[in-house]
Amino acid sequence: MAKTPTPADEEQGLGEAGAQLSTAPVEAPESGPSGKLPSMGVIGWARWFWRQLTSMRVALILLFLLSLAAIPGSLVPQTSVDSVKVEDWQKAHPTVTPIYEKLQLFHVYSSVWFSAIYILLFISLIGCIVPRTWQFVGQLRGRPPGAPRRLTRLPAYTTWRTETEPEEVLAAARKVLRGKRFRTENAADSVAAEKGYLREAGNLLFHISLIVMLVAFATGQLFKAEGSKLIVEGDGFSNTMSQYDDFKPGTLFDKDNLQPFSFDLNGFDSSYERTGPEKGTPRVFRAHVTYYDGVDGKPRETAIEVNKPLETGGSKVYLQGHGYAPVVTVRDGQGNIAYKGAVASLPVDGKNLTESTILKVPDFHDKDGKTDQIGFQGNFVPTLDLKTGTMMSQFPALDSPALVLTAYHGSLGMDAGLPQSVYKLDTSKMKQFQDKDGKPFADLLRVGDTMKLPNGAGTLKFDAIKTWATFQVSHQPGNGTALAGAVGALLGLAGSLFIQRRRVWVRAVEGEDGRTVVELGGLGRSESAKLPEELGDLALALQPHAMPVPEDPEQGADPDSADPVDPADPADPSEGARA
């Protein structure tokens, strides 16, 4: 549907020639002829609100607000990402924690205010795209408008005279324009042509791609599933809820949608920079696994690295961390094995891998056969150097490993039936073993050493060292759709920036001297240096079919020897020539 020509268009003689160069919706006037706001009822205000919400101005404001709203999510720890870090932050900032909780800053992306901005932006984009799409379809079905009365008023214009008949000039013009991929429309004395529809198509593609990205992000948050698992060398993992150490599902995630797969940790390769300012920085960080797709999948071996996840079962398995697990054998006072296996130790420093070691042995008997519970607590040190006067590791590699432990006996608190972390030891109901001098008991062990508990209570032997690795299993169903939306947005933006919507008219009429007057005019959405250049190229392509002749035939110049008019030359003597 063509827009009504404005008075400015009529003054320039453009009429409908300048209409329909954009699919941007025309905003209705907000005031009457007297300049006063019209009285509006409920429906009127609803329409006004809808026009404001679906305007491009409001869409840009909402997009900016969404960017601002995402900032707290990157500055404040999020419960959905790391609940432990949130608890530590809250303990360190008790004053502002209640304020942050009321503002929902610990779960920004699921907060009411973030969701409101998100939904409003979604509605705004849809309300903006639908009318533009229908207008664009109408333009594609329409034809280029007729030539304005005065082509000389157009921003790009050139003219010359020729001996060729007007009909032949117009036929040649149609052929040249179609060869340049213009869409043409014939009139009595002119040819109208139009090009650059991909500009508006690019605008629509850009906005539709934004909607696709918003839908993809929302789908990813609602149906996502993320979990972590610490696996000791030689152990494995199956993709079931009970296997995860920590699991964070999306709001609409169904646990029955977990795809079956499993993998075993065969070993871990790591090496570190030993000199220079980057001493201790990992150079090799690689987990070797054997994985199985499905319940009856064939075993396949691969390596998982930090930036190279394993993709299986519709999920990605990322390598998150690495550490050591001392292998120990604990015997009670009767000489029976109470525990035998690897004890995963968690790092307490982020560089040299000094690790906290906790071991709980609930089924234990002392030398008299009485039932007791034992707990061991201490540190595993990959590289111990006693000359430094500290029990902290000096390097993350196993250069001089040592295990420093103390022991407690009493109640581990496991009989109450409440869940406990295997990495924390509650000593509130336990007593620390004392040596013969009455001092707290502790011992330093190397691989192969045995720690003897006081009073023949039992022993702990340091057998070997294994490695462990932590993995994050991530299921994000909207990632592929989001990527497609991002690519589409880039393509649409490129089209809207680099393609210009323009129209060209060629008019050929018989002049007073009997010769044909050829006029070319061009109009674009905005002033551009390329439009005069393109009009000049069209004129040069048309001139072999309509050779220019001198303005004054009485000069005796041979028409065949006349130089072609250069439409790009501002000093051209032709009347009104400019391009």
Short mmCIF file of all heavy atoms in Angstrom, two decimals, residues 154-184:
data_model
loop_
_atom_site.label_atom_id
_atom_site.label_comp_id
_atom_site.label_asym_id
_atom_site.label_seq_id
_atom_site.Cartn_x
_atom_site.Cartn_y
_atom_site.Cartn_z
N LEU A 154 15.25 15.32 -9.27
CA LEU A 154 15.79 14.14 -8.59
C LEU A 154 17.26 14.37 -8.22
O LEU A 154 17.97 15.14 -8.88
CB LEU A 154 15.66 12.90 -9.47
CG LEU A 154 14.23 12.47 -9.80
CD1 LEU A 154 14.24 11.24 -10.70
CD2 LEU A 154 13.43 12.19 -8.54
N PRO A 155 17.76 13.70 -7.19
CA PRO A 155 19.15 13.90 -6.76
C PRO A 155 20.17 13.48 -7.82
O PRO A 155 21.28 14.01 -7.84
CB PRO A 155 19.28 13.06 -5.50
CG PRO A 155 18.01 12.35 -5.31
CD PRO A 155 17.02 12.80 -6.30
N ALA A 156 19.84 12.51 -8.66
CA ALA A 156 20.74 12.08 -9.74
C ALA A 156 19.99 12.24 -11.07
O ALA A 156 18.89 11.70 -11.23
CB ALA A 156 21.18 10.63 -9.53
N TYR A 157 20.59 12.96 -12.00
CA TYR A 157 19.88 13.25 -13.24
C TYR A 157 20.88 13.51 -14.37
O TYR A 157 21.96 14.06 -14.16
CB TYR A 157 19.01 14.50 -13.06
CG TYR A 157 18.37 15.00 -14.34
CD1 TYR A 157 17.22 14.39 -14.83
CD2 TYR A 157 18.92 16.07 -15.04
CE1 TYR A 157 16.63 14.85 -16.00
CE2 TYR A 157 18.33 16.53 -16.22
CZ TYR A 157 17.19 15.91 -16.69
OH TYR A 157 16.63 16.36 -17.84
N THR A 158 20.53 13.08 -15.58
CA THR A 158 21.31 13.41 -16.77
C THR A 158 20.38 13.37 -17.99
O THR A 158 19.31 12.73 -17.93
CB THR A 158 22.48 12.43 -16.96
OG1 THR A 158 23.30 12.90 -18.04
CG2 THR A 158 21.98 11.03 -17.32
N THR A 159 20.78 14.05 -19.08
CA THR A 159 19.95 14.10 -20.29
C THR A 159 20.84 14.34 -21.51
O THR A 159 21.95 14.85 -21.38
CB THR A 159 18.90 15.21 -20.18
OG1 THR A 159 18.09 15.19 -21.35
CG2 THR A 159 19.56 16.57 -20.04
N TRP A 160 20.35 13.93 -22.66
CA TRP A 160 21.00 14.21 -23.94
C TRP A 160 19.97 14.05 -25.05
O TRP A 160 18.87 13.56 -24.83
CB TRP A 160 22.23 13.33 -24.15
CG TRP A 160 21.92 11.88 -24.41
CD1 TRP A 160 21.71 11.31 -25.63
CD2 TRP A 160 21.83 10.83 -23.44
NE1 TRP A 160 21.47 9.97 -25.47
CE2 TRP A 160 21.55 9.65 -24.13
CE3 TRP A 160 21.94 10.78 -22.05
CZ2 TRP A 160 21.39 8.43 -23.50
CZ3 TRP A 160 21.80 9.57 -21.42
CH2 TRP A 160 21.52 8.42 -22.14
N ARG A 161 20.36 14.47 -26.25
CA ARG A 161 19.49 14.34 -27.42
C ARG A 161 20.08 13.32 -28.37
O ARG A 161 21.31 13.15 -28.44
CB ARG A 161 19.33 15.69 -28.13
CG ARG A 161 18.60 16.73 -27.28
CD ARG A 161 18.54 18.09 -27.97
NE ARG A 161 17.88 19.08 -27.13
CZ ARG A 161 16.60 19.33 -27.12
NH1 ARG A 161 15.80 18.64 -27.96
NH2 ARG A 161 16.07 20.23 -26.32
N THR A 162 19.21 12.64 -29.10
CA THR A 162 19.64 11.59 -30.01
C THR A 162 18.72 11.56 -31.22
O THR A 162 17.58 12.07 -31.19
CB THR A 162 19.64 10.22 -29.31
OG1 THR A 162 20.10 9.21 -30.21
CG2 THR A 162 18.24 9.85 -28.85
N GLU A 163 19.22 10.95 -32.29
CA GLU A 163 18.43 10.78 -33.51
C GLU A 163 17.55 9.53 -33.44
O GLU A 163 16.69 9.32 -34.29
CB GLU A 163 19.37 10.68 -34.73
CG GLU A 163 20.19 11.91 -34.98
CD GLU A 163 19.36 13.05 -35.57
OE1 GLU A 163 18.16 12.83 -35.86
OE2 GLU A 163 19.91 14.16 -35.71
N THR A 164 17.78 8.69 -32.45
CA THR A 164 17.02 7.44 -32.32
C THR A 164 15.58 7.73 -31.92
O THR A 164 15.32 8.63 -31.12
CB THR A 164 17.68 6.52 -31.28
OG1 THR A 164 19.08 6.39 -31.57
CG2 THR A 164 17.04 5.14 -31.27
N GLU A 165 14.66 6.94 -32.44
CA GLU A 165 13.25 7.12 -32.14
C GLU A 165 12.97 6.82 -30.66
O GLU A 165 13.63 5.95 -30.06
CB GLU A 165 12.39 6.21 -33.01
CG GLU A 165 12.45 6.55 -34.48
CD GLU A 165 11.87 7.93 -34.78
OE1 GLU A 165 10.91 8.34 -34.05
OE2 GLU A 165 12.37 8.59 -35.69
N PRO A 166 12.01 7.50 -30.04
CA PRO A 166 11.70 7.27 -28.62
C PRO A 166 11.37 5.81 -28.30
O PRO A 166 11.80 5.30 -27.27
CB PRO A 166 10.49 8.18 -28.38
CG PRO A 166 10.62 9.27 -29.38
CD PRO A 166 11.20 8.62 -30.59
N GLU A 167 10.61 5.15 -29.21
CA GLU A 167 10.27 3.76 -28.94
C GLU A 167 11.51 2.88 -28.87
O GLU A 167 11.62 1.98 -28.03
CB GLU A 167 9.30 3.24 -30.00
CG GLU A 167 7.92 3.88 -30.00
CD GLU A 167 7.94 5.26 -30.66
OE1 GLU A 167 8.99 5.62 -31.23
OE2 GLU A 167 6.91 5.96 -30.60
N GLU A 168 12.46 3.14 -29.76
CA GLU A 168 13.69 2.34 -29.76
C GLU A 168 14.52 2.63 -28.50
O GLU A 168 15.15 1.72 -27.94
CB GLU A 168 14.50 2.64 -31.02
CG GLU A 168 13.78 2.26 -32.31
CD GLU A 168 14.62 2.61 -33.54
OE1 GLU A 168 15.80 2.96 -33.36
OE2 GLU A 168 14.08 2.54 -34.65
N VAL A 169 14.54 3.90 -28.10
CA VAL A 169 15.29 4.23 -26.88
C VAL A 169 14.70 3.53 -25.67
O VAL A 169 15.42 2.96 -24.84
CB VAL A 169 15.28 5.76 -26.67
CG1 VAL A 169 15.95 6.11 -25.33
CG2 VAL A 169 16.01 6.46 -27.81
N LEU A 170 13.37 3.55 -25.55
CA LEU A 170 12.74 2.90 -24.40
C LEU A 170 12.93 1.40 -24.43
O LEU A 170 13.13 0.76 -23.37
CB LEU A 170 11.25 3.24 -24.38
CG LEU A 170 10.91 4.72 -24.16
CD1 LEU A 170 9.40 4.94 -24.19
CD2 LEU A 170 11.47 5.22 -22.84
N ALA A 171 12.88 0.80 -25.63
CA ALA A 171 13.11 -0.64 -25.73
C ALA A 171 14.54 -0.98 -25.31
O ALA A 171 14.79 -1.98 -24.59
CB ALA A 171 12.84 -1.11 -27.15
N ALA A 172 15.51 -0.16 -25.76
CA ALA A 172 16.89 -0.39 -25.36
C ALA A 172 17.08 -0.17 -23.86
O ALA A 172 17.82 -0.90 -23.20
CB ALA A 172 17.81 0.53 -26.15
N ALA A 173 16.37 0.83 -23.30
CA ALA A 173 16.46 1.09 -21.87
C ALA A 173 15.95 -0.09 -21.06
O ALA A 173 16.55 -0.47 -20.04
CB ALA A 173 15.68 2.36 -21.52
N ARG A 174 14.84 -0.67 -21.49
CA ARG A 174 14.32 -1.84 -20.77
C ARG A 174 15.33 -2.99 -20.78
O ARG A 174 15.54 -3.66 -19.77
CB ARG A 174 13.00 -2.29 -21.39
CG ARG A 174 11.82 -1.38 -21.09
CD ARG A 174 10.50 -2.03 -21.49
NE ARG A 174 10.39 -2.16 -22.93
CZ ARG A 174 9.88 -1.24 -23.74
NH1 ARG A 174 9.43 -0.10 -23.23
NH2 ARG A 174 9.80 -1.43 -25.05
N LYS A 175 15.97 -3.19 -21.94
CA LYS A 175 16.95 -4.27 -22.05
C LYS A 175 18.15 -4.02 -21.14
O LYS A 175 18.64 -4.92 -20.46
CB LYS A 175 17.38 -4.41 -23.50
CG LYS A 175 18.36 -5.54 -23.75
CD LYS A 175 18.69 -5.67 -25.22
CE LYS A 175 19.68 -6.81 -25.47
NZ LYS A 175 20.03 -6.91 -26.92
N VAL A 176 18.64 -2.77 -21.15
CA VAL A 176 19.81 -2.44 -20.32
C VAL A 176 19.46 -2.58 -18.83
O VAL A 176 20.23 -3.14 -18.04
CB VAL A 176 20.28 -1.01 -20.64
CG1 VAL A 176 21.33 -0.56 -19.61
CG2 VAL A 176 20.87 -0.94 -22.03
N LEU A 177 18.30 -2.08 -18.42
CA LEU A 177 17.91 -2.13 -17.00
C LEU A 177 17.71 -3.56 -16.53
O LEU A 177 18.11 -3.93 -15.42
CB LEU A 177 16.65 -1.31 -16.79
CG LEU A 177 16.82 0.21 -16.92
CD1 LEU A 177 15.47 0.90 -16.95
CD2 LEU A 177 17.66 0.75 -15.76
N ARG A 178 17.08 -4.38 -17.37
CA ARG A 178 16.90 -5.78 -16.98
C ARG A 178 18.23 -6.50 -16.91
O ARG A 178 18.43 -7.41 -16.10
CB ARG A 178 15.95 -6.47 -17.95
CG ARG A 178 14.50 -6.00 -17.82
CD ARG A 178 13.62 -6.55 -18.92
NE ARG A 178 12.24 -6.07 -18.77
CZ ARG A 178 11.29 -6.29 -19.67
NH1 ARG A 178 11.54 -6.99 -20.76
NH2 ARG A 178 10.06 -5.81 -19.46
N GLY A 179 19.16 -6.11 -17.78
CA GLY A 179 20.50 -6.70 -17.71
C GLY A 179 21.21 -6.34 -16.42
O GLY A 179 22.10 -7.08 -15.98
N LYS A 180 20.84 -5.20 -15.83
CA LYS A 180 21.40 -4.78 -14.55
C LYS A 180 20.57 -5.29 -13.37
O LYS A 180 20.77 -4.85 -12.23
CB LYS A 180 21.47 -3.26 -14.49
CG LYS A 180 22.35 -2.62 -15.56
CD LYS A 180 23.82 -2.83 -15.29
CE LYS A 180 24.67 -2.05 -16.29
NZ LYS A 180 26.12 -2.21 -16.04
N ARG A 181 19.65 -6.20 -13.62
CA ARG A 181 18.80 -6.84 -12.61
C ARG A 181 17.82 -5.85 -11.96
O ARG A 181 17.48 -5.96 -10.79
CB ARG A 181 19.63 -7.55 -11.55
CG ARG A 181 20.46 -8.69 -12.08
CD ARG A 181 21.06 -9.50 -10.97
NE ARG A 181 21.90 -8.69 -10.10
CZ ARG A 181 23.18 -8.42 -10.35
NH1 ARG A 181 23.75 -8.89 -11.46
NH2 ARG A 181 23.88 -7.69 -9.50
N PHE A 182 17.37 -4.84 -12.73
CA PHE A 182 16.30 -3.96 -12.28
C PHE A 182 14.95 -4.57 -12.65
O PHE A 182 14.83 -5.24 -13.67
CB PHE A 182 16.42 -2.58 -12.95
CG PHE A 182 17.42 -1.66 -12.29
CD1 PHE A 182 18.76 -1.72 -12.61
CD2 PHE A 182 17.00 -0.74 -11.35
CE1 PHE A 182 19.67 -0.87 -12.02
CE2 PHE A 182 17.90 0.11 -10.74
CZ PHE A 182 19.25 0.05 -11.07
N ARG A 183 13.96 -4.32 -11.83
CA ARG A 183 12.60 -4.68 -12.16
C ARG A 183 11.96 -3.48 -12.86
O ARG A 183 11.99 -2.36 -12.32
CB ARG A 183 11.80 -5.03 -10.90
CG ARG A 183 10.43 -5.60 -11.20
CD ARG A 183 9.76 -6.11 -9.96
NE ARG A 183 9.50 -5.04 -9.00
CZ ARG A 183 8.69 -5.19 -7.95
NH1 ARG A 183 8.12 -6.35 -7.73
NH2 ARG A 183 8.48 -4.19 -7.11
N THR A 184 11.40 -3.69 -14.02
CA THR A 184 10.95 -2.58 -14.86
C THR A 184 9.43 -2.57 -15.02
O THR A 184 8.76 -3.59 -14.86
CB THR A 184 11.60 -2.66 -16.24
OG1 THR A 184 11.19 -3.86 -16.90
CG2 THR A 184 13.12 -2.61 -16.13
#
